[in-house]
Structures are given as C-alpha cells and as structure tokens.
Amino acid sequence: MQLLTGGHQDSVKTIKTACVPFTRIPLDNTNVCVQTLFMNKNNNLTLILDVISKAILVYILPFLVPIFFLPLTTEFFEMNKLTLIILCTILLTIIWAVKLMIGQKLEVVKSIIDFPLVIFTAVYALATVFSINKTVSIFGSQGRWLGLFSTLVFIVYYYVATPLYRNPKSIKRALYAFIAGTGISTLVSLLAYFNIFISSAPYAKMQNFSLYGSNVQTAMFAALTIVMSLVLIAYEKNPIIKIGLVGMTILNIFFVALTSALVAWAVLIVGILGMVFYVDLSKIFKDGVYYLAVLGTTAAIAIVFLVPTTRNVLINPNYPKELSLPARESWVVASSTIQNFPLLATGPATFQTNFTRFRPITLNSTDFWNIRFDIPFNEVFNIISTVGILGLIASIFLASRIMKLANQIKFTDNQEGLTEVLSLSLMAMLASFVFIHANVASVFVLFTLLSLLIAAHTSIDEHSKVAQVSTIGPTDIQAVASLGESSAINKEYSKFIFGGAIILAVVYGGYLWSRNYMGEYYMRRAILALVNNDGRETYENQRKAIRANPSRDTYYNSFAQTDLALANSLAGKENLTDVDKQTIQSLISEAIATTRITTEVINPLSAANWEMRALIYRSIINVADNASEWAVGAYNTAIQLDPTNPRLRLELGGMYYAMKDYVSAANQFRQAFALKGDYANAYYNFGQAMMQLNDFQSAKQAFEVTKTLIPADSEDMKILEKDLAAVNEKIKAAGTPTEAKPTVEQISATQKQEPVEQEPLTKVGEEEPIKALPRP
C-alpha cells in the first residue's frame, strides 16, 4: 500500500503522535485516526452540553422558579419567571440542535399525552387567529402573561426536558430542588406575615409580600410540597433528608393553616386521600416515627388555631386579602361569552374585555363594584370564556389523559416511589385549577411534573404502554431531506440546515419576547421617575416603552396622561413664551393622537381605553371648543362596552352637568344609582342636578338618601348638611311643605345597619379640569 510522503509528512507526524506509536501511517488508518480525534472532541462537547442541560433542568429551573423575581419591570414576578423559563428553554433547544448538528443521536419520548396536547395547542392557536385582540392572545395581557407564545414555550420545554430526566436520581433531585425553592418562598411569606422583612425595599416591606407574587399561590404550592414530602419520606433512605422533609412539611402546614386559602386545602385533601390509594402504606408504618412527628406537630398547630386566645394572637384580621372575582359572577361572564362566541370564544387572555361586556349587575352590591377583573375565579371559567367550547373539550381530553397517566401505578418503582409522588402531585395540580386560575408558576409545575412522570415511566419500563423512547439522528434528517436519487438538499449538510433552522426559530422567539420585556422595563423606569417627580424622564421612558412594544395599549394610556400632566405643568408658568405655547399644543395633540391609537387601532373593544379617551378630551375643555362633545361620545362608547358600570354613568352625567344640560345629567345620575342602589355620589349629584332644575323636593329626597349612606362624622356629612339646609331654604322660600313622603330608596336605606364604604362626595360636573391652557 502506498505510504504518505512529501508535503504530508508534518500532518502525518501530528496524527501519529495523537493516535498510534508508528512513524508512518497508511492512508486508510489516517482517516480512522482523524475520525477518532473528531469523535473524541464531539464526545467532550456532548458531555459539556449534557452537564449544562442537566444543571438547568435538575437544579436551576425547579429551584429558581418558586423564588425568582426582579424589580426591573412593572410586574416583578410573573413576567420575570416566564422570562427565566424562556431563556432556559431557548438554551436547552440550542443545545439540542447543536448535539444534532455534531452527529449525536437524540432521544425523543412519545406518550399518550402527545395527541391531546397537539389538539389543545391547535385549538389554542385557532382561538388566537380569531381573537378579538390578537396581540394580547399571543403574548398575554399586562400582568397576565399566559398566551399562545407562552403555551408554545412550555410545550417545547416539555419535549426537550423529558428525555433528559430519564434518570431516577435526576428526577428526585429536581423534586428536592422544587421543594427547597418553595420552602424558601413559604418562609419569606411567613416572616412577612409577622412583619419581618427580608429587604428594606418598599415593595418587600408589605405584609403580603410573596416570592410567588401571590400568597394564595404560595399557600397552594406549600400544600403541594406537603404532599410531595409526605410521600418521599416513605421512600427516602437518608435519615438526614427525611428529617429535612419533616421540617419542610411542618413549615408548610403552619403557613397553610395561617392563610387558610381554599385552593391550598383542596390540594392538600386530594393529595392525602390519594396517598391511601397510590402509596404503599407498609412503608408509611415502617417509618412511623417521622409521620408521628408530623402528625403530632399538626395536632399542636390545630389546637393553637382552634383556641380563641392563641388564634387571636397569631391571626391578623387586617391581613391584606387578595381580590378574586366570585365564582357566581365568573360563571355569569363565562356563560354569557359562550352564548355570543360559542366555539372559540374571544381568544386567549381576553377575559377582561368579556368581563366589562358581560359584567353582572349583582357585582355592584359588593366591594368589588369598581374593579375591572382580568381573570375569573378559576381556570375552568377562564378556558370557557376565552377559548370556548372547543377549548373546554380539548382541556378535558388533555386532563383525562393526564389522569390516565397518573393512574399507571403498576409501573411504580417501589424503591424510589417516583411515580407515586409524581402521580399524586399531578392529580393535586389538576384539582387546583378548579379553585384558582392558572399562572406562569402553576403551568410550569404542571408541565414539569408531566415531564418527570413520563420520564420515570420510561426509565422503569422501556416497553411501557404509556410512554416510549425513540431516537433521532443525522441519518433520520437525511432521510427526510432526500427526495430520491438526487436531493434538493445535500445529505451531508441537512443536519446543519435543520439544526440551524431550529436555532434561528428559537432565537427569533426570544427576540419577540425581548421586545415585550423591554417595554415593561422602560415602563418601570418611567414609574420610578414619576415617583421622583421627574416629568422629563417619565416622558422619555414611556416613549421608549412604546417604541419597544408598540402594541400594548396601557403604554399609550399612561403616555397620554403624562402628556397632559406636562402640558398642565407648563401652562402654570407665568409669561409663557411662544416656544412654551407650541410645546403645550404639541403635548395636547400627542395625547389626543395617542388615545385615538388605543381606541381605533390597538384595542377598540376596551372600555378602559375609551374611558381614558374621554378623560383626555374632558381635560382639554379649556382648549378645544368641542372637547365636551368628543368626551361625551367617548363616554357613550365606554358605556356600551361596560353597560353595568355605574361610575361611567356618573362621569357622563358630570359632563352633561358641566355643559349645563341638567336634564341629561340627572338622567345619567338616576341610571347610576339604579345600577348601584347604595351609590352615594350618584344620589348626591342627582340632588345637585335637581337643584339646578328647581325641583327642590327631589333634590332634598336625594340628599336624604345620601345622608344614610355616608359616615355621620365625616367631612362629607358636613358638606351635605349645608346642602340640605340650602335646599330647605329654597323649599321654604317657594312655599312648598318641607315634609314629604319618603322615597323607596329612603325606606330601603333605613334597613341598613351601618353606612357602606363610599368614595368622597364630588360634584362631578364642577371638578377642576386641567389648568386653563392657552388657546391656539
């Protein structure tokens, strides 16, 4: 065989040193050595990539998601948790693509979840296509970031993560990381409850501060970790870890008892009842000492909370409670939505629009009457009202398959107890969605538990009926790329094209999300500048937020308010220059244009946007002659979109009052207290309108009703007494009897034991608008 000579000598020596002890190497053996060296480098790279992937999945995400937040955006918790998940998912996907490009065979897990997950995603995507607000349906509403984009992220995360979890040690470590992260979150919330704060930052010095962003969510995950810990104690062999699990269980039990969140009790009950059916009870009795410690401590906690003396010491009656739309009103909104949009409803993340449109009038008799809820009582109502009947069917199909997967306990590894703890946790998570809406953390935990359980089944039984493992490699990509004898794509490069396309897709997805994130980042900076009374910096940061994400209507609304505030401040100067006057006009013009964008382009179905437009026009009545007409038109549109809102009627009545159209004003005030029978401001302003119409008896009756609705020792009562005295003088001067029969409202009001909490009385037609700006 011919030997390598001449100009190839140096390269031969290098190969010789690395591969074989000979001085001269045949050509065929040289190729083998080159391939061996290349394979060694690939193996080292693969090892590094595997270590990074395992670190992300086993330690970083399970531990950090419960505790991660950043005060860099307007909403600290949900958005930053989702951003962390997105970044990790992008990195995992890039690693997956790189391993494919260097010739590695990759594992892909198929399971009984795949088909229902595809159906659910397809319905979700279809609902987004026909959504009344596509931007919101894709990226979520502000503060509620679950939409089509996040759903796709979680699905990619699930499929990339599942094969990497196929190791019992990795599964157990991921569970322990999540338990540790939730334990830290519980401890922080518990300390905050007793006014012990982990930071001097203003946002952290609140009694209901939570690393999950919600103490109800914290209590729910505390209950979930109680279930996990109780099962793991039975299977864990390390006594130190068992003691740690016992301590974590006691901590979480105390917090659940302290907050008494309904969803936490539901998760706990489902989990404990499931232990009877899913867990080998002999293992519980074998480790009875640990369970006795938990049981004894739980009994002591129960006694402490049941005895009035100790309960009053621990329970703070003034602890801030989270607002939630009641179940009955949530059902009214959901059922009304599917009557009008039966199949796909109005699109993901559009509940707030449905709420204003179908808001039940019964809500006006509660403390929540002036709140626009953006989420219903639970996730079931959310699915019905945003994804419709098809979304509900797809969700039920997916949930049924998850329950079927959770019931496959015959594949349990009795030594580790992994399928037991994961199955119980999945059932408890599904139960939680009946009592609370989904958020970033809960959806992440759901997909993580699903991924871990399927990985556990495949690691226990490679021939499992619920999940199977297959491989994909360069040869599979080449087979797909080939079209016959001649291929449009060279087989040698098909894996690079395929892997490169995946990398480009996830990087582009990251870019799209970065625009959302930067918008929130600049809005946060604008808020901080506003707190520091820096109008210029507020203005510039809001402008940057709009440039970063020009499809978020809330940015425009805030920007319009800033425009008017700056114009008002500038108009207050003495001796305005021509430049000042021009700046004022530009700011007003920009405010008007901004609100028109939100109401005519971005989200025309938002009552809040039309209300803001009305406010802008109302504020410039000293500048534009027909501003009042534009404000009235905007209020009428807002009322059409939020027909049971009494405050909008009050504000529209105020516009008519300012225009001296007292009949129309009185009509709007009457409609306002017809919608909300205890609306003191509506009665008061109705009385003012009646005074202008010289109907003093009606005015007096309205004032008398108002008197029953406000505190007797308030400043409002003093003002009202003066108005009553004035109307009595008017009645006396007109020669009309001052005594009249009581109205139905007065009779009804006398049945109230105490006045309800009211906003301060305001003559809505005479409040001070923006300072008189110079006319052009």
Side-chain angles (χ1 to χ4, degrees):
M1 183 176 290
Q2 195 175 23
L3 299 177
L4 290 174
T5 57
H8 297 286
Q9 290 282 350
D10 293 339
S11 61
V12 170
K13 290 179 182 179
T14 304
I15 296 172
K16 175 195 71 176
T17 306
C19 301
V20 293
F22 302 115
T23 56
R24 292 188 177 182
I25 305 171
L27 182 60
D28 292 344
N29 289 349
T30 302
N31 292 334
V32 172
C33 288
V34 172
Q35 292 175 3
T36 302
L37 186 62
F38 183 71
M39 289 176 62
N40 288 337
K41 290 182 178 180
N42 283 352
N43 289 336
N44 291 335
L45 178 59
T46 302
L47 181 62
I48 293 172
L49 295 178
D50 285 341
V51 170
I52 295 173
S53 300
K54 291 290 179 68
I56 292 172
L57 290 172
V58 176
Y59 302 107
I60 295 176
L61 280 177
F63 178 74
L64 283 185
V65 167
I67 64 175
F68 185 73
F69 78 98
L70 290 173
L72 301 179
T73 52
T74 57
E75 192 275 315
F76 297 172
F77 305 97
E78 291 279 298
M79 180 167 222
N80 289 289
K81 291 180 192 297
L82 182 56
T83 302
L84 173 66
I85 295 167
I86 289 171
L87 290 175
C88 289
T89 302
I90 290 173
L91 183 56
L92 289 170
T93 308
I94 291 174
I95 290 173
W96 188 90
V98 169
K99 289 167 71 174
L100 184 66
M101 291 165 70
I102 63 176
Q104 294 292 318
K105 280 188 172 291
L106 303 175
E107 290 183 336
V108 178
V109 176
K110 303 175 183 178
S111 71
I112 61 173
I113 300 299
D114 294 342
F115 182 62
L117 199 56
V118 169
I119 295 296
F120 178 82
T121 306
V123 171
Y124 213 76
L126 199 60
T128 301
V129 170
F130 294 100
S131 171
I132 60 175
N133 190 335
K134 291 181 176 58
T135 300
V136 167
S137 291
I138 293 172
F139 294 106
S141 60
Q142 192 174 27
R144 308 288 184 186
W145 305 107
L146 294 180
L148 178 63
F149 182 84
S150 60
T151 300
L152 294 176
V153 168
F154 284 119
I155 291 173
V156 171
Y157 160 76
Y158 161 76
Y159 279 107
V160 173
T162 303
L164 298 173
Y165 276 133
R166 293 187 64 244
N167 183 306
K169 290 184 178 179
S170 296
I171 295 173
K172 184 174 286 188
R173 287 169 182 170
L175 288 173
Y176 285 149
F178 173 73
I179 291 172
T182 300
I184 293 173
S185 180
T186 301
L187 181 61
V188 169
S189 294
L190 190 61
L191 292 174
Y193 187 95
F194 295 106
N195 295 316
I196 302 173
F197 305 110
I198 61 171
S199 172
S200 59
Y203 59 82
K205 298 183 71 174
M206 295 186 295
Q207 197 175 21
N208 61 344
F209 177 76
S210 166
L211 296 178
Y212 270 111
S214 161
N215 268 329
V216 174
Q217 293 283 345
T218 303
M220 182 190 76
F221 287 115
L224 183 65
T225 55
I226 291 171
V227 175
M228 290 180 175
S229 299
L230 289 176
V231 178
L232 288 170
I233 288 171
Y235 293 91
E236 179 57 57
K237 297 177 182 179
N238 190 325
I240 296 177
I241 296 179
K242 285 190 174 186
I243 294 172
L245 290 171
V246 170
M248 197 68 70
T249 302
I250 293 171
L251 172 69
N252 289 319
I253 288 174
F254 183 76
F255 185 74
V256 169
L258 194 64
T259 55
S260 293
L262 177 62
V263 64
W265 291 117
V267 168
L268 202 54
I269 291 170
V270 170
I272 292 176
L273 289 177
M275 287 181 65
V276 177
F277 300 99
Y278 289 168
V279 180
D280 185 356
L281 297 180
S282 63
K283 292 185 176 293
I284 294 178
F285 293 124
K286 181 180 178 181
D287 294 308
V289 61
Y290 298 102
Y291 289 99
L292 285 175
V294 172
L295 186 62
T297 308
T298 303
I301 292 173
I303 293 172
V304 167
F305 280 98
L306 289 174
V307 175
T309 304
T310 53
R311 177 181 174 83
N312 292 336
V313 172
L314 290 174
I315 300 296
N316 182 358
N318 298 319
Y319 183 74
K321 293 186 180 295
E322 295 177 18
L323 297 179
S324 175
L325 184 62
R328 183 180 65 176
E329 281 72 17
S330 297
W331 166 245
V332 171
V333 175
S335 59
S336 299
T337 302
I338 59 173
Q339 286 177 16
N340 291 269
F341 308 92
L343 293 181
L344 295 170
T346 54
T350 58
F351 180 82
Q352 187 175 44
T353 302
N354 297 331
F355 172 77
T356 55
R357 183 181 298 183
F358 305 114
R359 185 178 182 273
I361 196 171
T362 55
L363 208 60
N364 288 335
S365 60
T366 70
D367 293 335
F368 311 137
W369 72 274
N370 202 24
I371 298 173
R372 288 191 174 115
F373 287 92
D374 58 356
I375 207 74
F377 174 75
N378 62 21
E379 189 59 24
V380 177
F381 294 146
N382 189 40
I383 290 172
I384 293 172
S385 58
T386 58
V387 201
I389 295 174
L390 291 181
L392 180 63
I393 294 172
S395 300
I396 293 173
F397 183 32
L398 178 60
S400 65
R401 285 298 181 90
I402 293 176
M403 288 189 286
K404 180 179 179 180
L405 177 68
N407 285 326
Q408 302 297 311
I409 301 302
K410 58 184 179 180
F411 300 113
T412 295
D413 179 5
N414 292 324
Q415 299 301 317
E416 301 289 344
L418 296 179
T419 54
E420 285 84 350
V421 64
L422 293 169
S423 296
L424 270 177
S425 300
L426 264 176
M427 298 293 283
M429 279 302 301
L430 288 178
S432 72
F433 293 131
V434 179
F435 299 93
I436 198 171
H437 58 82
N439 68 354
V440 170
S442 61
V443 175
F444 167 77
V445 171
L446 179 68
F447 274 96
T448 300
L449 291 173
L450 196 56
S451 178
L452 290 171
L453 181 56
I454 291 174
H457 277 297
T458 58
S459 66
I460 294 168
D461 183 4
E462 293 185 356
H463 303 287
S464 170
K465 295 181 179 180
V466 296
Q468 302 85 35
V469 180
S470 59
T471 59
I472 182 173
T475 55
D476 301 298
I477 302 300
Q478 291 172 2
V480 173
S482 298
L483 300 176
E485 291 294 331
S486 61
S487 174
I489 303 175
N490 192 311
K491 292 183 180 181
E492 294 295 328
Y493 300 105
S494 58
K495 61 183 180 182
F496 296 105
I497 295 173
F498 184 73
I502 292 175
I503 292 173
L504 286 176
V506 297
V507 169
Y508 180 68
Y511 163 74
L512 292 178
W513 182 252
S514 69
R515 295 182 63 181
N516 279 273
Y517 192 89
M518 292 309 298
E520 291 296 298
Y521 169 76
Y522 286 124
M523 284 302 293
R524 171 63 179 167
R525 291 185 60 180
I527 292 172
L528 294 176
L530 182 63
V531 171
N532 294 325
N533 202 27
D534 188 342
R536 181 179 295 274
E537 192 68 18
T538 302
Y539 177 87
E540 289 300 327
N541 279 295
Q542 287 176 344
R543 181 182 287 275
K544 290 178 181 178
I546 291 174
R547 287 176 179 172
N549 186 7
S551 58
R552 191 68 71 181
D553 55 0
T554 52
Y555 298 171
Y556 289 90
N557 289 337
S558 299
F559 191 55
Q561 289 178 297
T562 301
D563 278 330
L564 284 185
L566 291 175
N568 187 39
S569 176
L570 192 57
K573 292 174 54 179
E574 296 182 359
N575 302 321
L576 290 174
T577 65
D578 291 338
V579 174
D580 290 335
K581 294 177 181 179
Q582 183 62 39
T583 301
I584 291 171
Q585 295 301 326
S586 298
L587 289 169
I588 295 173
S589 176
E590 190 173 53
I592 295 172
T594 299
T595 57
R596 292 191 65 179
I597 291 174
T598 62
T599 53
E600 298 175 16
V601 179
I602 297 179
N603 192 0
L605 297 178
S606 170
N609 288 348
W610 284 99
E611 186 180 357
M612 178 56 63
R613 179 168 172 167
L615 178 63
I616 296 301
Y617 285 126
R618 184 173 188 165
S619 300
I620 62 172
I621 57 176
N622 293 325
V623 178
D625 289 330
N626 60 344
S628 298
E629 298 173 10
W630 282 92
V632 168
Y635 273 127
N636 278 318
T637 305
I639 289 172
Q640 291 175 6
L641 296 171
D642 194 356
T644 60
N645 189 332
R647 181 174 51 79
L648 292 177
R649 312 272 181 173
L650 181 75
E651 292 177 0
L652 178 56
M655 281 304 307
Y656 283 127
Y657 192 98
M659 298 164 64
K660 302 188 185 304
D661 184 353
Y662 301 116
V663 174
S664 297
N667 181 45
Q668 292 299 322
F669 297 142
R670 188 192 299 274
Q671 292 180 43
F673 63 69
L675 289 170
K676 179 174 171 58
D678 57 358
Y679 200 1
N681 246 330
Y683 284 108
Y684 179 71
N685 283 280
F686 178 75
Q688 294 293 340
M690 290 296 100
M691 287 279 288
Q692 297 296 330
L693 293 171
N694 296 323
D695 188 349
F696 303 122
Q697 281 293 348
S698 296
K700 179 182 178 181
Q701 290 172 351
F703 291 152
E704 291 289 352
V705 175
T706 307
K707 190 175 181 179
T708 65
L709 296 173
I710 60 176
D713 55 349
S714 65
E715 290 296 320
D716 286 339
M717 182 61 76
K718 296 177 182 178
I719 297 172
L720 185 60
E721 292 288 357
K722 293 180 181 179
D723 288 329
L724 271 171
V727 77
N728 282 328
E729 287 295 327
K730 294 284 187 182
I731 293 173
K732 185 177 180 181
T736 309
T738 57
E739 295 297 328
K741 292 186 293 183
T743 63
V744 173
E745 291 83 4
Q746 287 174 298
I747 296 173
S748 300
T750 59
Q751 303 301 317
K752 294 187 171 82
Q753 297 299 316
E754 58 183 19
V756 295
E757 185 176 350
Q758 298 283 350
E759 59 192 8
L761 294 182
T762 306
K763 292 183 182 180
V764 293
E766 297 180 354
E767 67 269 26
E768 186 70 23
I770 276 188
K771 293 177 182 178
L773 304 180
R775 294 178 180 270

